């Protein structure tokens, strides 16, 4: 949620805040706000698809700072969309704004669009650091407030809606939370984090001791994510709002200031609303009253989930989820963040918004590549057990289910429908309720068949990389524009470099080798200034890979992880991958980076060989070769690569033959 212009207004009012030395306390953190803030304030890559390893480092440092000061963090995330659909128009408008900003970034101009997998990376860090977190069923604000009041501890956020709620211990705005500047007391020798804390009591006191029950009405009159009524402009055009004794910049702040003074004259919200409606046309009053009351309910703390039960006993009982009769395992997985909000919206709303990326806006959306996989996901989500049993009994197909998707079409937001694919449900008699009961073999087969990869292809790939390699095989097959060999090399080299940072501290007997590779990598990075805007084709191709990885992660989670969930921060660093891609276009020598370090070289070869084994043989055949290169390398190439007629099926080729084929492709490149 959010109240237009309020955070900027409140931020300039010192009387609303008091200084706080945070230590030895619980704190409830608005998870969505925090990962946005940390990524953007660090100035990390927004164009090349994200620098997830750097983001991971900053998240680690943030929670380490809390730990040093004995601050116990509890992170609360928003879930899916509100089932009332009151926020639909706001969601559409925000999606349009994201497309506009992504287009601006693709031209090297300003904008702020989070890379696709930032949320997933953030959650992985919380899991690794054992920071307690919960993903609410819908908007988290009210549940977050109830938890903070039960524990009498502050909230950390930058959401202006928290200026309206009655929080016993207030909330600390993220922009004044000085977690990088830990202070140690001289007497007790204890550490604390300096912060500002907002007090709603102080806020209301400044406006003639205004009744706090008037604040929800104030929020909906100013305009929040749930309401923006044109009819209210008649009220603002006729009412005389006091200007007060303060000078404000901007029309919005003048309106906020005047409205607060005007509302402070009323005893309660009912009296104030009657006065507001008196300025409207008689025929509009009942409808506007109903809408205002409905919007104000978003600030009511009744019928909220008790998150104390979740954090203490692992129990999360959402009345909405119970009403919808969602399987218990789905409710638990949603609360634990093991099913994403996108999938929750497909399940509950039959509608979702695909996230914008910085890509080539003249080409179809990068999400187009994953349509077949999304259809399978939707089929697993939305086919009811009784529908499945009835269809099997009659030997019929289940009733078609359509999911509404909002995605980019050039620079516009487009609404389309995608039919759920239920063939797996029929073939294996699988429904959403019975998914955890299906054997690992069936769930793995469903995953790999959807990604069109055979189990044998992944046999030599380390467990931690099997899902990403399977996703990469799918990407190579279906990306448009076509993936070239230098794209594949850059991507896999980037993944191996991601391993480098984790392997080095614990590498026994190989530390010098790892250190040498690390030093050489740093020379490559520092010796090549970053491009302001990468090649558009490369940008689009790597965006498609992230889309493939995202749906691969989602499908794997929905199937209760038949493959080990990969560590995303190791898999992709956008600026590095684009740099390697540029280097590989002109020379394959950069590929020798891992030669001094056998474990890294082996990992690279294992992943490369698996992809080449899985994709069609002519995927990377070069269209043209410089004549000098042909004459010099032709004989060696012919010894290693058989003609199309002679080549046996890839599934039956020994691994050394696949390696020989790869050597031939290197010569092509």
């Amino acid at each position: 949620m959010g109240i237009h212009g309020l955070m900027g207004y409140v931020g300039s009012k010192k009387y609303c805040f008091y200084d706080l030395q945070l230590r030895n306390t619980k704190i409830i953190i608005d998870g969505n706000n925090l990962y946005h803030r940390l990524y953007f304030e660090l100035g990390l890559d927004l164009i090349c698809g994200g620098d997830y390893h750097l983001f991971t480092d900053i998240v680690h440092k943030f929670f380490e700072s809390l730990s040093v000061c004995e601050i116990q963090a509890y992170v609360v995330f928003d879930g899916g969309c509100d089932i009332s659909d009151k926020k639909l128009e706001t969601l559409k408008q925000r999606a349009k704004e994201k497309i506009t900003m992504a287009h601006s970034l693709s031209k090297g101009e300003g904008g702020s669009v989070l890379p696709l997998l930032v949320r997933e990376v953030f959650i992985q860090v919380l899991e690794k650091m054992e920071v307690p977190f919960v993903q609410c069923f819908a908007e988290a604000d009210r549940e977050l407030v109830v938890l903070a009041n039960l524990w009498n501890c502050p909230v950390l956020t930058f959401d202006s809606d928290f200026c309206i709620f009655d929080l016993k211990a207030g909330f600390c705005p993220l922009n004044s939370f000085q977690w990088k500047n830990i202070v140690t007391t001289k007497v007790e020798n204890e550490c604390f984090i300096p912060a500002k804390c907002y007090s709603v009591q102080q806020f209301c006191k400044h406006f003639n001791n205004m009744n706090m029950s008037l604040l929800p009405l104030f929020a909906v009159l100013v305009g929040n994510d749930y309401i923006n009524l044109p009819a209210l402009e008649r009220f603002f055009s006729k009412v005389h709002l006091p200007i007060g004794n303060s000078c404000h910049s901007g029309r919005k702040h003048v309106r906020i200031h005047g409205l607060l003074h005007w509302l402070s004259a009323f005893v309660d919200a009912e009296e104030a609303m009657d006065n507001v409606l008196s300025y409207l046309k008689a025929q509009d009053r009942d409808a506007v009253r109903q809408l205002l009351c409905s919007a104000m309910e978003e600030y009511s703390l009744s019928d909220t989930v008790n998150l104390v039960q979740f954090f203490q006993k692992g129990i999360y009982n959402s009345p909405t989820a119970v009403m919808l009769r969602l399987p218990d395992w789905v409710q638990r997985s949603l609360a634990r963040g093991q099913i994403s909000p996108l999938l929750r919206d497909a399940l509950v709303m039959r509608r979702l918004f695909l996230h914008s990326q910085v890509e080539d806006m003249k080409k179809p959306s990068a999400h187009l590549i994953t349509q077949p996989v999304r259809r399978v996901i939707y089929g697993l989500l939305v086919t009811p057990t009784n529908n499945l049993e009835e269809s099997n009994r009659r030997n019929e197909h289940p009733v078609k289910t359509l999911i509404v998707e909002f995605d980019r079409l050039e620079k516009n937001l487009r609404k389309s429908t995608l039919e759920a694919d239920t063939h797996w449900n029929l073939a294996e008699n699988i429904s959403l309720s019975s998914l955890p009961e299906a054997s690992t073999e069936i769930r793995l087969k469903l995953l790999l068949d959807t990604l069109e990869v055979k189990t044998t292809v992944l046999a030599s790939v380390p467990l931690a990389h099997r899902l990403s390699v399977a996703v990469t095989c799918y990407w190579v097959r279906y990306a448009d524009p076509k993936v070239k060999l230098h794209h594949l090399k850059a991507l896999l080299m980037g993944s191996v470099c991601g391993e480098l940072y984790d392997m080095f501290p614990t590498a026994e007997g190989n530390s010098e080798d790892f250190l040498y590779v690390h030093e050489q990598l740093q020379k490559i990075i520092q010796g090549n200034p970053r491009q302001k805007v990468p090649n558009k084709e490369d940008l689009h191709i790597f965006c498609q890979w992230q889309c493939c990885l995202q749906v691969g992660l989602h499908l794997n989670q929905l199937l209760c992880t038949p493959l080990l969930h990969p560590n995303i921060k190791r898999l992709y660093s956008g600026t590095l991958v684009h740099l390697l891609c540029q280097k590989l276009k002109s020379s394959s020598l950069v590929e020798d980076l891992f030669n001094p370090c056998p474990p890294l070289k082996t990992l690279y070869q294992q992943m490369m060989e698996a992809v080449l084994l899985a994709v069609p043989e002519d995927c990377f055949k070069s269209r043209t070769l410089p004549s000098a290169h042909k004459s010099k390398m032709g004989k060696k190439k012919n010894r290693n690569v058989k003609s199309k007629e002679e080549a046996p099926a890839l599934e039956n080729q020994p691994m050394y033959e696949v390696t020989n084929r790869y050597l031939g492709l290197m010569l092509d490149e």
Side-chain angles (χ1 to χ4, degrees):
M1 294 195 288
I3 300 159
H4 310 155
L6 182 59
M7 202 51 121
Y9 173 84
V10 168
S12 62
K13 310 300 176 191
K14 293 183 179 179
Y15 57 78
C16 300
F17 299 91
Y18 58 90
D19 291 328
L20 194 62
Q21 297 179 355
L22 270 173
R23 59 182 170 185
N24 302 318
T25 182
K26 292 183 174 74
I27 190 168
I28 315 301
I29 298 176
D30 180 338
N32 296 69
N33 251 245
L34 180 60
Y35 69 72
H36 277 82
R37 181 84 186 181
L38 290 179
Y39 197 93
F40 288 138
E41 79 171 5
L42 194 61
L44 297 176
D45 165 66
L46 299 176
I47 299 175
C48 297
D51 284 336
Y52 298 129
H53 65 296
L54 295 176
F55 176 61
T56 297
D57 291 343
I58 198 72
V59 176
H60 266 280
K61 290 174 183 175
F62 177 85
F63 285 102
E64 283 168 359
S65 294
L66 299 189
S67 179
V68 166
C69 300
E70 302 292 335
I71 299 170
Q72 176 60 60
Y74 294 84
V75 181
V76 182
F77 291 99
D78 290 331
C81 298
D82 190 293
I83 63 167
S84 69
D85 250 1
K86 288 184 286 190
K87 200 174 175 180
L88 180 57
E89 290 307 312
T90 299
L91 293 173
K92 288 181 184 178
Q93 185 57 40
R94 285 185 180 169
K96 291 175 183 176
E97 291 169 359
K98 289 286 173 62
I99 292 170
T100 301
M101 285 192 286
H103 175 59
S104 176
L105 285 165
S106 73
K107 298 188 297 180
E109 298 171 1
S112 54
V113 178
L114 269 186
L116 192 63
L117 300 173
V118 166
R119 190 181 198 273
E120 282 83 353
V121 173
F122 185 69
I123 286 177
Q124 286 191 340
V125 178
L126 297 183
E127 290 173 336
K128 184 175 181 180
M129 298 189 73
E130 298 183 345
V131 176
F133 71 92
V134 63
Q135 179 176 276
C136 295
F137 191 72
E139 291 271 7
D141 291 8
R142 295 189 301 158
E143 292 171 29
L144 200 154
V145 169
V146 170
L147 178 64
N149 282 341
L150 284 171
W151 281 345
N152 195 25
C153 65
V155 170
L156 183 63
T157 183
F158 200 66
D159 186 338
S160 53
D161 278 306
F162 288 89
C163 297
I164 305 302
F165 289 112
D166 183 10
L167 281 160
K168 291 179 183 177
F171 83 87
C172 300
L174 272 164
N175 64 342
S176 60
F177 188 73
Q178 300 178 52
W179 64 273
K180 295 179 183 177
N181 301 316
I182 294 176
V183 178
T184 304
T185 59
K186 292 180 180 179
V187 180
E188 300 96 341
N189 199 32
E190 291 184 345
C191 299
F192 68 85
I193 294 176
K196 299 286 185 184
C197 193
Y198 169 87
S199 166
V200 69
Q201 291 82 8
Q202 287 296 109
F203 183 69
C204 289
K205 183 179 179 181
H206 184 78
F207 293 98
N208 304 319
N209 288 312
M210 180 170 62
N211 187 337
M212 277 191 287
S213 69
L214 288 160
L215 289 179
L217 178 59
F218 158 74
V220 299
L221 288 175
V222 170
N224 64 5
D225 288 350
Y226 287 93
I227 191 165
N228 188 15
L229 284 174
L232 289 176
E233 286 305 317
R234 180 180 177 86
F235 159 72
F236 283 111
S237 67
K238 291 185 172 292
V239 71
H240 177 69
L241 297 179
I243 297 175
N245 57 6
S246 297
C247 183
H248 301 282
S249 59
R251 182 185 170 196
K252 196 71 181 179
H253 285 188
V254 170
R255 175 174 286 188
I256 287 171
H257 191 77
L259 184 59
L260 286 165
H261 274 289
W262 185 80
L263 285 171
S264 68
F266 299 100
V267 175
D268 55 29
E270 186 176 350
E271 181 188 355
M273 187 180 294
D274 288 339
N275 205 287
V276 169
L277 296 173
S278 69
Y279 287 90
L280 307 185
K281 294 178 181 178
Q283 63 268 30
D284 292 337
R285 290 172 187 170
D286 287 343
V288 171
R289 181 190 291 275
Q290 188 173 351
L291 287 169
L292 289 175
C293 290
S294 175
M296 288 168 64
E297 286 174 7
E298 298 305 320
Y299 299 96
S300 166
L301 300 181
S302 60
D303 298 324
T304 57
V305 177
N306 184 347
L307 292 182
V308 174
Q309 291 229 331
F310 177 81
F311 286 120
Q312 292 180 351
K313 301 177 182 178
I315 300 171
Y316 184 93
N317 290 320
S318 162
T320 307
V322 172
M323 178 189 71
L324 294 170
R325 298 182 179 178
L326 298 187
D328 289 343
W329 80 268
V330 171
Q331 295 187 50
R332 288 193 300 272
S333 296
L334 283 167
R336 293 169 184 167
Q338 295 165 350
I339 295 179
S340 79
L342 276 178
L343 269 58
R344 180 271 189 197
D345 283 346
L347 171 63
V348 173
M349 310 295 293
R350 301 291 195 268
R351 182 199 71 220
L352 69 158
F353 287 79
L354 297 171
H355 296 159
S356 297
Q357 294 184 89
V358 181
E359 54 187 298
D360 188 344
M361 295 291 177
K362 294 179 181 178
K363 289 183 168 64
S365 165
H367 289 290
L368 188 64
I369 189 175
T370 60
Q371 269 193 1
V373 185
R374 296 202 306 275
R375 289 187 64 219
V376 172
I377 290 173
Y378 299 157
L380 292 170
L381 285 170
V382 303
T383 305
T385 305
N386 56 356
N387 186 2
L388 190 64
E389 292 170 350
E390 181 69 13
S391 300
N392 277 338
R393 188 174 63 81
R394 297 184 178 183
N395 198 25
E396 297 173 349
H397 289 290
V399 177
K400 290 182 179 179
T401 303
L402 298 178
I403 303 296
V404 174
E405 295 184 330
F406 286 92
D407 192 11
R408 177 187 68 80
L409 178 62
E410 294 183 344
K411 291 179 282 184
N412 302 304
L413 183 66
R414 182 186 69 163
K415 176 183 176 182
S416 60
T417 57
L418 192 61
E419 182 183 342
D421 182 350
T422 58
H423 81 275
W424 261 100
N425 309 60
L426 287 170
E428 300 292 343
N429 198 30
I430 290 175
S431 68
L432 184 62
S433 298
S434 66
L435 260 182
E437 300 162 15
S439 69
T440 304
E441 290 75 18
I442 288 176
R443 289 182 282 113
L444 179 60
K445 179 174 170 54
L446 198 162
L447 174 65
L448 295 184
D449 281 5
T450 302
L451 296 174
E452 301 183 32
V453 178
K454 296 188 176 181
T455 311
T456 52
V457 167
L458 303 176
S460 64
V461 177
L463 293 175
H465 288 273
R466 289 185 179 178
L467 182 58
S468 62
V469 168
V471 160
T472 301
C473 295
Y474 181 92
W475 167 68
V476 171
R477 283 178 180 272
Y478 295 111
D480 184 18
K482 291 286 290 178
V483 175
K484 297 182 178 65
L485 193 55
H486 58 258
H487 294 122
L488 177 60
K489 290 177 182 179
L491 182 70
L492 297 183
M493 286 185 71
S495 293
V496 176
C497 289
E499 288 289 322
L500 175 63
Y501 297 105
D502 281 350
M503 292 170 72
F504 178 75
T506 57
E508 296 181 5
N510 291 304
S511 57
E512 290 185 9
D513 295 341
F514 282 90
L515 180 59
Y516 178 77
V517 174
H518 182 269
E519 289 173 349
Q520 295 306 306
L521 178 62
Q522 294 309 306
K523 287 180 181 178
I524 292 173
I525 294 171
Q526 293 165 10
N528 292 270
R530 178 175 158 185
Q531 291 176 294
K532 188 175 182 182
V533 180
N535 175 280
K536 288 286 181 69
E537 181 173 295
D538 298 340
L539 200 61
H540 206 75
I541 286 170
F542 289 124
C543 274
Q544 289 176 87
W545 181 80
Q546 284 215 64
C547 292
C548 294
L549 180 61
Q550 183 189 48
V551 297
L553 294 169
H554 289 172
L555 180 57
N556 191 49
Q557 286 183 315
L558 184 60
L559 293 171
C560 307
T561 56
L563 285 180
L564 188 67
H565 218 55
N567 189 336
I568 302 169
K569 68 128 176 180
R570 298 180 188 173
L571 295 181
Y572 190 81
S573 169
T575 51
L576 177 60
V577 168
H578 278 272
L579 171 59
L580 292 171
C581 185
Q582 292 306 309
K583 297 284 287 181
L584 286 161
K585 285 179 183 179
S586 57
S587 170
S588 61
L589 292 177
V590 70
E591 207 175 359
D592 297 335
L593 174 67
F594 307 127
N595 286 352
C597 185
L600 296 180
K601 182 180 179 181
T602 300
L603 176 60
Y604 179 62
Q605 289 175 338
Q606 288 169 333
M607 294 193 292
M608 178 64 76
E609 288 166 352
V611 175
L612 293 177
L613 192 64
V615 302
E617 188 172 356
D618 60 352
C619 253
F620 298 112
K621 280 195 175 177
S622 182
R623 277 72 172 170
T624 58
L625 280 174
S627 55
H629 196 178
K630 280 185 179 179
S631 61
K632 187 176 179 180
M633 300 294 189
K635 291 182 180 179
K636 188 173 180 181
K637 173 187 170 185
N638 291 335
R639 286 201 301 270
N640 290 317
V641 183
K642 296 184 178 182
S643 67
K644 188 174 182 180
E645 293 77 13
E646 294 173 326
L650 280 174
E651 296 84 18
N652 302 319
Q653 288 188 44
M655 192 56 71
Y656 72 85
E657 289 190 23
V658 178
T659 304
N660 283 344
R661 174 184 155 195
Y662 171 54
L663 292 172
L665 289 170
M666 287 174 63
L667 300 176
D668 270 352
E669 191 75 358

